[in-house]
Amino acid sequence: MKMAPSLLTLVLLVVAINPPCSAQSDNPSRLTLQLRDGWQFREAKKKEWYPAKVPGCVHADLLENKLIEDPFYRDNEQKLQWIGKTDWEYRTQFNLSTEFLQHKNIELVFEGLDTYASVFLNDAKVLSANNMFRRWEINCERDLKVGQNTLRILFRSPINEILPVLKQMKYQLPAPNDQGEKTSPYTRKAPYHYGWDWGPRLVTSGIWKPVYLQAWDQAILRDFTIRQNHVTPGEAKLTAEFLVESATDAEARITVDEVQDLLPRTEQTVRLSAGENTLLMEFSVSEPELWWPNGYGPQPLYTLRAKLLVGSDFCDQRSVRIGLRSLELRQQPDAWGKSFAFIINGVPIFAKGGNWIPADSFANRVTPERYRQLVQSCHDANMNMLRLWGGGYYEDDEFYALCDELGILVWQDFMFACSLYPGDPGFLENVKQEAIDNVRRLRNHPAIALWCGNNEVETGWVHWGWKRELPAGLWDDYLKLFHAVLPEVCTRLDPERPYWPSSPSSNLEDDPDSQKTGDVHFWGVWHAALPFKEYEQQFPRFMSEYGFQSFPDIRTVQSYTLPEDRNIQSPVMMAHQKHPRGNQLIREYMLRAYPEPKDFESFLYVSQVLQAEGIKIGAEHLRRNMPRVMGSLYWQIDDCWPVASWSSLDYFGHWKGLQYYARRFYNDLLVSPHEESNQINIYVVSDRMKATHVTLHTQLLDFAGKSVMEENSEIEVLPLKSAVYKKYDRTQMLQGKEASKLVLLSELMLDGKALSTNLLFFAPFKEMGLPKPRIENQIRQTGKNYQIQLSSDSLARAVYLSLNQGDGFFSDNYFDVLPGRSVALEFQPAGTMTLESLRQNLKIRSLVDAF
Ligand code: BMA
């Protein structure tokens, strides 16, 4: 790969130099002083102060000081509602030296304040904040002194702040998820804090992101971004854009290099004017190594470092990590309407993944390790896209960095969900600044594929009665926010990335839920209680939400219950089910296909099988219908607390059945047998860019393993395509046998290995009369881990391995074991575990055992 400077837009001189430029100190003259220590907090106006953690939030601090009980335990949530209706105060002290104060410019920077905050520096009020999602930068030289300084922040209750506003309103802005006074639309704060149909109402306050002082003299590099103007395998044409603030007019030098020297450096001399300067430097990389979504290729990343020098003074430096790829949201008229497909490096990508919600009610508790475990789990389940849903917060940099590394595209909503919003100039300006801060912060991540205005506001207006019941002017406010303010920021700051107004949306060209154009949320299954088969009647151009709930596993339930709570209808279990009809719906769907589970733990297990089997129907249908459909994002990936929900990863990151199923139904090669009017069509869907030669093995068996029909065919699976590779007449294939007692196995074999396996049943579980299987296991130690081999004397469905005690990860779970065929998997214990204790604690069950 080569990089060469080319044409310049604004600049006087560009030189590509290799090796390094003139000597300079390793540290820029900009200084940062983190204000992490010595924090205390108290209920406003009360006497006693307690130690606090920054970044953090008041609930976490109260818990840490043992002033409240765990909000996630039993029904504690209810008892803690006062916290959100209380004002809180935080303070710290820090010492400054004479040298530090000699700097010409000193700024106090808050990366995030939650939410209505008055900031006092040595008793001067320096900031009044009103948006959790904004970054605040305050010139504060005047207010600082040598020696001890005090920083104090008063947080007003975000609920109380809005109550007087609500009183004056002639109408109520809809906020169906607020579990109390409906104040959330007026406040720029994570909507899910106010409660959701999977989340508790825990209305936080606090300093939720880092705070620091920043000192500089001559010039500061406020921003550095790389625009990818045109990227092909032959050449990447890029523009580096710098935002420099300078104290005076001056001549400066900017150098850009790659930290590992993977790209040659470039340098240019520029004239700065006093104040803000936007500078552009165009350059190109020939034969770039391209960044790909997971499954399509590697994710090469480059860390580019920009240095700013004025004379011999090394003023500042900033780094960005980028991946080179082209990106397009292709919306082209076709036989079914208008396409909705993400094209990366010229390749149409079928988006496979789910919807991401905040991984905790208290953002600061999501450690880098937890982020990694969750995003890695998505990667390992063959996902290539997550939709960052608009009811939470713009994620931590860590999250996007992981998505860049693991090839997970991000559909990024702005933080608006299921409500209408004010449209007064103050509110719009506040949102505009929020958008500027976040687009600037995030735009260098190659993973981000789309900016999307909101979640379900367009469809809410049209389909949830808002249009009928509310003043028409609210729609004008909608248009201002989502069709003017937000797209204008995106076009100005991030012109190469597409903007989409809402999810679901038809960009006002059709009904918001139209299946001809745009994206769709389909909730006929679940909310309308329609059968899972109804998924197969849906042909959206891109399915950005569909889902079904399950319970978390018993260990997770144990974390928030006492033994007497462990029944589905108990008050504590109901407190951890936020959908009003949730448990009832799970039971109703369950009894359509299964008998009544024999006990509580079995109910939890069967709920996970039910969810996984249901979403499998939807996901495989969507994939079979590529390219008409180009995305399957199920609702939802993760949880913010331990709860019954639509997630496939529970609060502790445990894989539910759905996560294991997702790995199979999102495999790059998928065999998917499907009954279509007395015919059984064996589809193979390929997300591979090259044709693959495999053996398609099909076999009709009874539950004891006796073969009724068996065939092997050599097939060439076409790249990036869904097609039928084999057809059977149902009646002929069954040869007069009772269908409910048979199973059709389809698998793609390569070099003796099954790349994709799928079973087709002809009756719901409760009509199959499956015998109780005898499952044998053999365990072998392999270093720190164990290999477990299972076999069964008859078909064992949804075999579930778990531990009575201890923790660890099973490389596979919730799988079927056919008689006469063994299944091997790996177990990684969380700590150390002896073979003996694994043997003692391992519990193996299959569906039959649940009844
Ligand atoms: C979708 C989401 C969320 C919600 C989920 C389940 O519409 O956008 O608002 O949690 O449905 O009801």
Side-chain angles (χ1 to χ4, degrees):
M1 176 170 7
K2 288 171 269 163
M3 183 166 79
S6 69
L7 204 78
L8 268 195
T9 325
L10 196 136
V11 225
L12 305 174
L13 175 72
V14 172
V15 226
I17 43 168
N18 215 0
C21 62
S22 56
Q24 64 191 31
S25 87
D26 282 346
N27 296 313
S29 58
R30 169 164 64 89
L31 287 182
T32 304
L33 187 72
Q34 292 290 341
L35 302 178
R36 231 180 263 125
D37 302 324
W39 284 96
Q40 294 180 311
F41 82 113
R42 68 174 180 187
E43 193 178 323
K45 298 195 192 106
K46 287 262 167 84
K47 264 225 174 79
E48 200 156 349
W49 291 88
Y50 296 91
K53 210 178 122 214
V54 168
C57 75
V58 65
H59 290 75
D61 289 329
L62 287 166
L63 184 62
E64 186 72 16
N65 285 280
K66 302 197 165 57
L67 298 170
I68 58 169
E69 281 184 51
D70 180 0
F72 293 172
Y73 189 61
R74 302 193 76 218
D75 54 358
N76 283 346
E77 176 203 353
Q78 283 168 33
K79 300 171 195 152
L80 299 176
Q81 291 309 310
W82 61 276
I83 301 171
K85 297 192 170 185
T86 303
D87 297 348
W88 297 95
E89 229 175 320
Y90 279 75
R91 72 171 184 197
T92 190
Q93 290 181 329
F94 53 92
N95 281 306
L96 293 180
S97 63
T98 324
E99 290 96 285
F100 189 85
L101 284 170
Q102 268 158 7
H103 288 283
K104 290 197 195 101
N105 307 286
I106 305 179
E107 290 147 7
L108 174 61
V109 182
F110 290 100
E111 303 272 1
L113 287 170
D114 173 17
T115 289
Y116 295 108
S118 302
V119 178
F120 301 89
L121 191 50
N122 296 328
D123 292 327
K125 184 167 175 187
V126 293
L127 172 71
S128 185
N130 61 351
N131 185 334
M132 172 184 179
F133 306 123
R134 281 176 66 180
R135 185 173 184 278
W136 310 92
E137 220 167 63
I138 311 141
N139 288 329
C140 64
E141 312 79 51
R142 288 182 316 277
D143 304 304
L144 294 168
K145 55 188 191 212
V146 175
Q148 199 173 70
N149 292 265
T150 305
L151 180 60
R152 186 169 65 86
I153 307 171
L154 174 68
F155 292 96
R156 299 187 303 285
S157 153
I159 301 168
N160 295 346
E161 184 84 2
I162 302 301
L163 292 179
V165 181
L166 287 190
K167 275 218 180 93
Q168 285 166 17
M169 298 300 296
K170 293 199 192 68
Y171 52 84
Q172 162 77 60
L173 288 181
N177 291 290
D178 280 35
Q179 302 300 305
E181 303 93 336
K182 300 199 177 293
T183 62
S184 73
Y186 297 91
T187 299
R188 297 307 301 142
K189 171 174 171 66
Y192 83 113
H193 286 164
Y194 296 88
W196 214 267
D197 60 3
W198 37 258
R201 178 175 173 89
L202 294 166
V203 184
T204 53
S205 281
I207 307 163
W208 77 296
K209 292 201 166 195
V211 42
Y212 50 90
L213 288 171
Q214 164 170 288
W216 57 281
D217 293 303
Q218 177 55 47
I220 183 168
L221 193 46
R222 293 255 183 236
D223 199 16
F224 167 39
T225 188
I226 302 290
R227 287 207 178 147
Q228 306 198 18
N229 309 320
H230 191 71
V231 178
T232 64
E235 190 188 32
K237 288 190 178 156
L238 310 172
T239 303
E241 186 181 317
F242 312 91
L243 184 64
V244 177
E245 189 175 334
S246 177
T248 58
D249 291 357
E251 183 145 306
R253 214 150 38 101
I254 297 182
T255 65
V256 176
D257 66 354
E258 206 284 335
V259 290
Q260 288 180 282
D261 271 334
L262 294 171
L263 309 173
R265 21 177 116 216
T266 56
E267 172 179 326
Q268 76 180 53
T269 305
V270 294
R271 272 222 68 79
L272 298 176
S273 318
E276 277 199 353
N277 301 258
T278 300
L279 307 163
L280 304 173
M281 178 159 82
E282 296 193 354
F283 61 102
S284 62
V285 178
S286 63
E287 290 159 40
E289 240 197 279
L290 299 179
W291 183 96
W292 290 95
N294 183 24
Y296 292 80
Q299 290 79 39
L301 296 169
Y302 303 101
T303 304
L304 294 175
R305 176 171 51 189
K307 292 186 176 178
L308 172 68
L309 290 98
V310 176
S312 60
D313 185 13
F314 172 23
C315 295
D316 205 356
Q317 94 174 15
R318 261 176 181 274
S319 299
V320 296
R321 194 175 66 166
I322 61 162
L324 299 171
R325 89 279 175 273
S326 69
L327 160 69
E328 180 196 346
L329 172 61
R330 191 169 289 168
Q331 290 189 268
Q332 242 169 25
D334 61 18
W336 306 286
K338 203 197 242 187
S339 65
F340 193 95
F342 291 93
I343 316 288
I344 305 287
N345 302 326
V347 177
I349 306 292
F350 186 97
K352 297 180 290 194
N355 285 266
W356 173 274
I357 64 161
D360 207 297
S361 288
F362 312 121
N364 58 293
R365 299 211 296 206
V366 192
T367 57
E369 294 70 37
R370 283 180 65 195
Y371 273 120
R372 181 167 286 281
Q373 192 267 336
L374 292 169
V375 180
Q376 184 78 46
S377 295
C378 296
H379 168 276
D380 295 349
N382 295 312
M383 298 185 187
N384 59 30
M385 183 181 272
L386 292 174
R387 170 168 172 251
L388 207 143
W389 166 80
Y393 46 78
Y394 307 92
E395 271 296 347
D396 194 85
D397 295 334
E398 187 72 31
F399 170 84
Y400 302 96
L402 284 163
C403 291
D404 291 344
E405 284 165 30
L406 296 171
I408 308 291
L409 296 167
V410 177
W411 168 311
Q412 177 70 50
D413 283 1
F414 284 95
M415 294 303 126
F416 300 90
C418 304
S419 285
L420 285 170
Y421 296 90
D424 59 274
F427 189 85
L428 296 180
E429 180 58 27
N430 197 1
V431 170
K432 180 178 166 186
Q433 294 307 325
E434 160 191 334
I436 290 172
D437 287 352
N438 286 288
V439 172
R440 276 216 177 115
R441 176 168 72 91
L442 300 177
R443 61 185 166 174
N444 284 302
H445 291 283
I448 297 179
L450 181 79
W451 297 110
C452 172
N454 66 68
N455 175 72
E456 296 187 345
V457 186
E458 188 181 317
T459 190
W461 178 257
V462 178
H463 293 297
W464 301 355
W466 302 350
K467 185 177 174 175
R468 209 173 43 240
E469 291 151 17
L470 291 165
L474 290 178
W475 182 246
D476 299 329
D477 292 345
Y478 176 88
L479 293 177
K480 280 183 217 155
L481 201 47
F482 301 110
H483 286 262
V485 172
L486 292 176
E488 273 160 27
V489 170
C490 292
T491 314
R492 184 158 57 82
L493 296 180
D494 197 19
E496 283 77 37
R497 217 173 247 116
Y499 173 85
W500 187 242
S502 183
S503 179
S505 172
S506 295
N507 198 21
L508 310 184
E509 293 165 19
D510 197 347
D511 185 282
D513 297 354
S514 167
Q515 302 216 342
K516 295 199 194 96
T517 183
D519 65 321
V520 165
H521 296 183
F522 177 71
W523 282 104
V525 172
W526 184 260
H527 287 294
L530 297 175
F532 288 118
K533 273 280 170 195
E534 192 63 27
Y535 284 138
E536 299 187 343
Q537 305 308 315
Q538 311 307 315
F539 297 89
R541 308 316 310 271
F542 190 105
M543 187 74 107
S544 43
E545 275 188 21
Y546 64 108
F548 193 86
Q549 278 200 359
S550 69
F551 286 92
D553 70 27
I554 187 71
R555 289 169 300 172
T556 298
V557 171
Q558 280 162 354
S559 79
Y560 61 84
T561 53
L562 289 171
E564 63 259 37
D565 302 324
R566 292 175 200 150
N567 111 51
I568 303 302
Q569 300 302 335
S570 77
V572 169
M573 287 302 287
M574 294 303 275
H576 288 249
Q577 163 59 273
K578 293 294 182 181
H579 188 267
R581 288 178 300 128
N583 290 359
Q584 194 189 315
L585 275 168
I586 295 175
R587 206 181 120 86
E588 184 185 323
Y589 273 88
M590 196 183 284
L591 296 183
R592 291 178 195 172
Y594 304 92
E596 177 94 38
K598 66 180 182 202
D599 55 25
F600 178 72
E601 200 175 325
S602 301
F603 195 98
L604 306 184
Y605 157 56
V606 179
S607 81
Q608 291 198 25
V609 179
L610 176 72
Q611 174 195 36
E613 288 280 331
I615 300 306
K616 173 179 189 279
I617 294 174
E620 289 191 13
H621 162 76
L622 295 167
R623 291 195 65 191
R624 283 195 305 267
N625 283 283
M626 169 171 85
R628 179 174 180 175
V629 184
M630 281 305 282
S632 155
L633 306 180
Y634 64 74
W635 184 266
Q636 73 204 59
I637 294 293
D638 55 332
D639 280 330
C640 69
W641 74 317
V643 65
S645 84
W646 297 265
S647 71
S648 55
L649 296 170
D650 79 11
Y651 174 67
F652 299 106
H654 298 142
W655 286 36
K656 288 181 170 179
L658 175 56
Q659 189 73 19
Y660 288 101
Y661 271 57
R663 188 168 62 199
R664 289 170 218 141
F665 62 60
Y666 283 156
N667 194 50
D668 63 348
L669 286 184
L670 168 73
V671 64
S672 179
H674 189 237
E675 255 190 87
E676 288 158 18
S677 47
N678 205 44
Q679 186 160 298
I680 292 162
N681 291 334
I682 316 289
Y683 285 79
V684 180
V685 185
S686 171
D687 289 335
R688 293 192 177 181
M689 293 198 278
K690 289 201 181 100
T692 317
H693 190 93
V694 294
T695 307
L696 170 60
H697 174 234
T698 44
Q699 190 178 10
L700 189 67
L701 313 144
D702 70 13
F703 302 149
K706 200 166 144 257
S707 189
V708 177
M709 177 281 288
E710 183 168 12
E711 265 192 335
N712 282 309
S713 347
E714 300 301 306
I715 61 167
E716 182 92 345
V717 179
L718 299 170
L720 303 172
K721 205 170 167 58
S722 163
V724 174
Y725 288 84
K726 189 121 212 132
K727 294 180 181 184
Y728 293 102
D729 180 90
R730 186 186 199 266
T731 320
Q732 246 173 36
M733 187 181 76
L734 291 172
Q735 300 171 30
K737 302 222 155 41
E738 204 180 325
S740 65
K741 303 284 178 260
L742 297 172
V743 51
L744 177 67
L745 161 72
S746 313
E747 53 189 346
L748 302 178
M749 303 300 298
L750 184 67
D751 303 332
K753 256 187 65 191
L755 301 179
S756 175
T757 305
N758 215 330
L759 298 185
L760 180 74
F761 298 98
F762 300 93
F765 179 83
K766 64 179 177 186
E767 286 163 28
M768 284 166 51
L770 219 55
K772 187 173 167 57
R774 253 214 358 260
I775 303 172
E776 308 273 349
N777 71 75
Q778 281 185 331
I779 310 179
R780 201 162 54 83
Q781 188 148 12
T782 52
K784 244 184 98 247
N785 299 340
Y786 294 93
Q787 205 203 46
I788 304 175
Q789 190 137 356
L790 300 177
S791 58
S792 175
D793 63 344
S794 66
L795 172 66
R797 293 220 49 207
V799 175
Y800 173 42
L801 291 85
S802 60
L803 295 175
N804 292 320
Q805 253 172 49
D807 206 350
F809 181 72
F810 294 95
S811 67
D812 205 357
N813 220 337
Y814 291 87
F815 49 81
D816 300 320
V817 181
L818 287 161
R821 292 167 58 126
S822 69
V823 172
L825 59 108
E826 200 184 44
F827 174 68
Q828 305 165 9
T832 49
M833 194 179 286
T834 62
L835 181 61
E836 209 27 56
S837 90
L838 175 58
R839 281 216 174 97
Q840 272 169 18
N841 281 304
L842 184 64
K843 184 165 177 184
I844 303 172
R845 67 194 117 179
S846 80
L847 262 183
V848 171
D849 302 313
F851 309 101

